[in-house]
Amino acid sequence: MAVIGQRIPLRDGESKAAGRVQYAGDIALPGLLHARLVLSPYPHATVRAIDTREALAFPGVVAVFTAADLPDIVPSSRHRLMLARERVMFAGQPVALVVARDEATAQDAADLVFVDYEPLPAVVDAETAMAPDAPLVWPDGVPGRNDETAAAHGADVGGDEESTTRSNISNRVHFSRGDAAQALAEADVVVERTYTTSRVHQNYLEPQTVVVRPEPHGVTIWTSTQAPFFVQSEVADVLGLTESDVRVMATPVGGGFGGKFLLFEPLVALVAHRLQQPVRLKLTRMEELLATKPAPSARIHVKLGARRDGTITALQARLLFDSGCYPGTPVGVAAFLLGSYYRIPNVDIEGLEVLTFKASNDAYRAPGAPQATFAIESAMDELAQRLGMDAIDLRLRHASRTGDPTIRGRPWPSIGLRDVLEAVQAHPLWQHREQVRAQGRGVGVAVGGWPGGIEPAAATCLLQRDGTLTIHVGSVDLTGSTTAFALIAAEVFDLPPDSVRIVTGDTLTAPYAGATGGSKITYTVGAAVLQAVEEAKQQVLAIAAEELEADPADLELREGAVHVRGAPGRSLSLAEIAGKTMRFGGRYAPVLGRGRTAITEQAPGFCAQLAEVSVDSETGMVRLHRLVLVQDVGRAINPLLIEGQMMGGAVQGLGWALHEQLAYDEQGQVLTASWMDYSVPRTPHVADRIECLLVEVPSEHGPFGARGVGEPPVVATAAAVANAVAHATGVRVADLPMTPQRVWQAMQQEKTP
């Protein structure tokens, strides 16, 4: 490869660092109005009355909207439950929207909206919510399921069994093979433990922002979204417009991680359409933590049985995911992954999704995978210790291979699970872990994966008059995918990457692309780009063959020109060829390649990690010293950006492990509603050294064999850190985050006779 594999910086990296990128919050339109939300202070209450008179009388206020001012549509998802109607279901639920001529006025007026609430009983713990006498989140039945983001991420694994009785259990999944109960009864060694993970917010730097301008026949939306075509479809449906009447301009996204698909766009679009003036809603950080859609918490009970010779015979697990006020957790993919990493003959896994009076959840980087992997990888580590085996040897002995059945009975496609495990086993940190332990530190290992998303996509490639290429796509670039597209095109045409321009259009001008999530954009849109560039190349060669009077088989494209092999001097530059297609009286049609893909087979990615930690025996503080990340990337289109994704994902995994939790009190109030209380990893918390190693097991359908790389690096970090803590202290912590208090308490309990 001449270009593929080069370490090319982000195309927009310099402009972002210099502050020249225009985000949704920077959009300035004539007559722009500003909106502020009025949020419920109660997790469950009847809304008896809303008095907006004082707010409306405030100078500069244009309008105040309540549910009574909006269409009475079925609230089948959070983005369709735009403002609370008759009752609220979580503390932080929007009840009213104030629109004013400036943000400060809107905020002041929002404080003047009086809402008469009658508090009702609320349950905020999933176990309690399953009780027969628990108050129901939806007494008249759940109006719908929110599976869009799961499907977009490739996390919709099927097998769902929706409850037919009135309860807070909104979904069940069940996977089994063999007789797990009997195998556990006959096992020589059984590890049994309950693992818990907290609610975790995506915590993107840029708050959710929506700007909507009414048009003569619809609306134009500027929004920080990962899914512009999904926004277009849903807004058109809510407003009763055709999709072509809704134009979505996806602005650069200042972090999304699965949390910026769709939420407030329909509400702002309705308001702007009603007022016939442009309106902007930009959330505050507290509103982000109260009113948006974080990742769900989970409680996972695992029983893992083996014979004394190290053969794992049985796995039994029960997963309980807290869904908040709407169904739609990734409990299905969590159960799938928990039961599919390893070849175990007897498996029984049940997953439950439970509604509570909390904000509904959404995707967060590999939704469901960090929770499930923390449980199964912690159990595998403890089993290896009980058996006296090398933890990686135990994993390799049972790791799934290409073609092995998943827990659903379908074969794994090409996977590099064993390859990444073998790579970390050979790493010096693992080989010398006992020397590290002698120094008062611990080394832990874990592996995790992601199935990979799929969705149809299209792209075009135009040869310009100056000999450069313009690639037109419709996908949102979160992590450098457009830089990868440029390398793909440059490889095919043997051009320098800066001779390729990538244009991301809006929903009325761009070819279709799925939502950016699930590690699928390079895999799907990149494949469409490759197809479009290959078609454009064939058009170029056909024109050159005629002009040079040569057999197309004798032509080669290199260094910006088409050459006749063995005939020095007989060549045509790309600029000359393009010029012949873009002039009066030209005999050739412009060079325009089209690529269309509908890949139906996923390309799972796996990442194995080693963590080196020390634990302060007096405080329980865990310090991460070193993190080794080994990931199967299929083919490294751009190693520099892949390593950035690996490091970023692992740092977010560190947040799961040691820092992050949306904590609630017994009444359902959020206790960590600001960054003063909600801890995210900061520079001093990150490992002293992060090492990235790339393994290449090519996928069948990805461009040049590439796999998606964004999801896998977040999956195994928490388990690797927990296993390192156990190695350093002899104490296993089964609850995330592993705060100093939790670790210290676990160590004290270990000392108690």
Side-chain angles (χ1 to χ4, degrees):
M1 294 291 177
V3 178
I4 296 298
Q6 288 189 18
R7 302 175 66 85
I8 304 296
L10 278 171
R11 293 200 141 199
D12 58 355
E14 182 182 353
S15 58
K16 285 181 176 177
R20 296 194 297 269
V21 171
Q22 187 178 57
Y23 294 93
D26 300 318
I27 301 295
L29 301 174
L32 181 65
L33 302 176
H34 300 266
R36 284 257 62 83
L37 295 168
V38 177
L39 305 181
S40 167
Y42 296 99
H44 190 203
T46 299
V47 179
R48 293 191 290 204
I50 303 177
D51 189 344
T52 63
R53 290 173 295 179
E54 191 173 354
L56 283 168
F58 197 81
V61 171
V62 174
V64 180
F65 289 85
T66 68
D69 304 306
L70 303 178
D72 188 10
I73 62 176
V74 175
S76 55
S77 59
R78 268 288 304 282
H79 61 265
R80 288 174 179 256
L81 184 68
M82 291 172 279
L83 296 172
R85 188 179 297 273
E86 299 178 355
R87 69 186 181 105
V88 294
M89 295 180 293
F90 65 93
Q93 183 174 351
V95 178
L97 184 80
V98 176
V99 183
R101 302 199 182 280
D102 61 77
E103 277 189 291
T105 297
Q107 183 59 67
D108 290 342
D111 295 337
L112 299 176
V113 175
F114 175 75
V115 184
D116 183 10
Y117 297 99
E118 180 184 356
L120 298 170
V123 286
V124 293
D125 173 74
E127 292 276 5
T128 307
M130 290 193 296
D133 59 347
L136 298 179
V137 177
W138 291 97
D140 298 325
V142 182
R145 288 190 56 78
N146 177 28
D147 290 329
E148 297 98 338
T149 54
H153 277 77
D156 185 7
V157 300
D160 294 354
E161 303 170 13
E162 294 190 33
S163 175
T164 57
T165 60
R166 293 290 173 85
S167 77
N168 287 321
I169 300 175
S170 54
N171 188 30
R172 297 177 187 266
V173 295
H174 187 216
F175 299 120
S176 66
R177 64 169 170 249
D179 189 337
Q182 182 64 32
L184 284 167
E186 297 173 353
D188 297 318
V189 179
V190 175
V191 170
E192 181 174 6
R193 197 177 290 273
T194 298
Y195 306 90
T196 67
T197 67
S198 295
R199 280 198 149 207
V200 174
H201 197 276
Q202 297 87 351
N203 276 305
Y204 26 75
L205 286 177
E206 177 206 23
Q208 298 217 22
T209 305
V210 183
V211 180
V212 181
R213 182 180 66 195
E215 306 290 356
H217 300 289
V219 293
T220 297
I221 303 172
W222 291 264
T223 178
S224 177
T225 182
Q226 299 171 235
F229 289 94
F230 181 44
V231 171
Q232 179 191 42
S233 173
E234 289 295 291
V235 169
D237 190 54
V238 169
L239 268 63
L241 302 172
T242 64
E243 289 191 12
S244 60
D245 290 330
V246 178
R247 185 178 189 181
V248 179
M249 317 279 282
T251 57
V253 179
F257 313 114
K260 287 184 177 176
F261 273 56
L262 173 67
L263 185 53
F264 294 113
E265 286 87 351
L267 172 61
V268 181
L270 273 168
V271 168
H273 195 255
R274 185 77 55 85
L275 295 176
Q276 283 299 295
Q277 281 189 259
V279 176
R280 180 174 73 192
L281 172 66
K282 180 171 66 176
L283 299 193
T284 66
R285 183 59 54 186
M286 184 170 289
E287 287 170 336
E288 282 285 355
L289 291 167
L290 288 172
T292 57
K293 300 187 289 183
S297 60
R299 179 183 297 273
I300 304 175
H301 185 78
V302 172
K303 294 177 72 174
L304 189 62
R307 294 197 290 263
R308 287 190 183 89
D309 66 0
T311 302
I312 301 177
T313 58
L315 169 63
Q316 191 176 74
R318 181 176 184 266
L319 300 85
L320 183 63
F321 272 58
D322 183 341
S323 191
C325 64
Y326 267 93
T329 67
V331 66
V333 73
F336 167 80
L337 291 172
L338 193 149
S340 298
Y341 287 164
Y342 299 106
R343 295 176 293 172
I344 302 174
N346 303 287
V347 181
D348 189 85
I349 299 177
E350 179 188 32
L352 298 175
E353 174 186 271
V354 181
L355 301 174
T356 60
F357 290 93
K358 296 202 285 280
S360 58
N361 77 96
D362 209 343
Y364 176 29
R365 203 168 191 160
Q371 298 96 316
T373 301
F374 173 61
I376 187 61
E377 286 299 281
S378 295
M380 287 290 290
D381 213 67
E382 188 171 358
L383 181 62
Q385 186 270 327
R386 295 269 299 274
L387 291 168
M389 289 185 64
D390 178 288
I392 297 183
D393 281 342
L394 179 65
R395 287 171 168 85
L396 282 170
R397 182 170 173 178
H398 298 88
S400 292
R401 305 170 184 262
T402 300
D404 283 342
T406 67
I407 191 59
R408 298 177 66 196
R410 301 177 184 175
W412 275 110
S414 170
I415 57 173
L417 172 55
R418 294 182 57 85
D419 302 79
V420 296
L421 280 170
E422 289 169 350
V424 292
Q425 187 176 45
H427 195 277
L429 180 59
W430 183 255
Q431 294 296 319
H432 302 130
R433 63 191 180 284
E434 291 311 315
Q435 292 94 312
V436 173
R437 189 179 190 184
Q439 299 170 8
R441 299 182 180 183
V443 177
V445 65
V447 67
W450 183 249
I454 50 176
E455 194 163 357
T460 62
C461 173
L462 174 66
L463 178 63
Q464 301 287 3
R465 196 190 301 269
D466 58 3
T468 63
L469 299 177
T470 296
I471 310 297
H472 204 188
V473 297
S475 56
V476 172
D477 181 9
L478 289 183
T479 57
S481 56
T482 56
T483 307
F485 298 159
L487 294 183
I488 291 169
E491 181 67 43
V492 173
F493 266 79
D494 194 32
L495 291 170
D498 57 10
S499 293
V500 181
R501 183 183 182 192
I502 309 297
V503 176
T504 301
D506 59 68
T507 54
L508 295 188
T509 63
Y512 179 81
T516 300
S519 296
K520 71 167 181 282
I521 293 302
T522 299
Y523 184 64
T524 59
V525 182
V529 168
L530 178 59
Q531 190 181 105
V533 175
E534 291 281 11
E535 182 178 301
K537 178 180 177 179
Q538 294 307 312
Q539 294 174 16
V540 165
L541 293 177
I543 295 171
E546 188 168 341
E547 287 291 311
L548 295 171
E549 298 180 345
D551 188 330
D554 294 332
L555 300 180
E556 60 179 347
L557 181 56
R558 55 182 171 82
E559 299 176 348
V562 178
H563 301 264
V564 180
R565 291 187 182 91
R570 292 187 64 197
S571 65
L572 277 176
S573 70
L574 291 176
E576 290 174 314
I577 292 172
K580 295 178 182 298
T581 71
M582 298 178 179
R583 67 184 185 191
F584 294 113
R587 295 192 300 117
Y588 306 106
V591 174
L592 178 64
R594 296 176 177 85
R596 301 183 305 132
T597 63
I599 300 170
T600 58
E601 184 175 283
Q602 294 170 290
F606 284 88
C607 181
Q609 303 187 12
L610 297 175
E612 178 187 345
V613 308
S614 62
V615 182
D616 190 312
S617 60
E618 295 184 354
T619 66
M621 178 72 72
V622 178
R623 180 180 175 189
L624 181 62
H625 295 280
R626 189 175 179 185
L627 196 57
V628 178
L629 315 172
V630 181
Q631 185 167 330
D632 170 25
V633 301
R635 173 62 66 91
I637 301 293
N638 186 344
L640 179 66
L641 299 191
I642 290 173
E643 290 168 7
Q645 281 293 286
M646 292 168 66
M647 292 181 186
V651 171
Q652 289 183 312
L654 180 63
W656 281 91
L658 300 177
H659 297 273
E660 299 188 46
Q661 58 177 327
L662 269 175
Y664 294 77
D665 66 15
E666 294 180 355
Q667 287 72 45
Q669 297 296 328
V670 181
L671 301 176
T672 52
S674 77
W675 277 355
M676 293 181 65
D677 305 301
Y678 185 108
S679 174
V680 295
R682 292 169 170 81
T683 300
H685 304 139
V686 179
D688 301 330
R689 179 180 174 187
I690 301 179
E691 182 179 349
C692 297
L693 302 175
L694 308 185
V695 171
E696 295 184 316
V697 180
S699 68
E700 181 180 352
H701 303 289
F704 299 105
R707 299 177 188 271
V709 300
E711 255 72 14
V714 75
V715 175
T717 312
V721 172
N723 293 337
V725 169
H727 187 236
T729 65
V731 174
R732 185 157 297 279
V733 183
D735 302 302
L736 298 184
M738 294 175 285
T739 60
Q741 181 182 15
R742 282 176 172 168
V743 176
W744 183 86
Q745 288 175 341
M747 290 191 295
Q748 299 312 302
Q749 291 171 2
E750 186 72 15
K751 293 177 182 179
T752 303

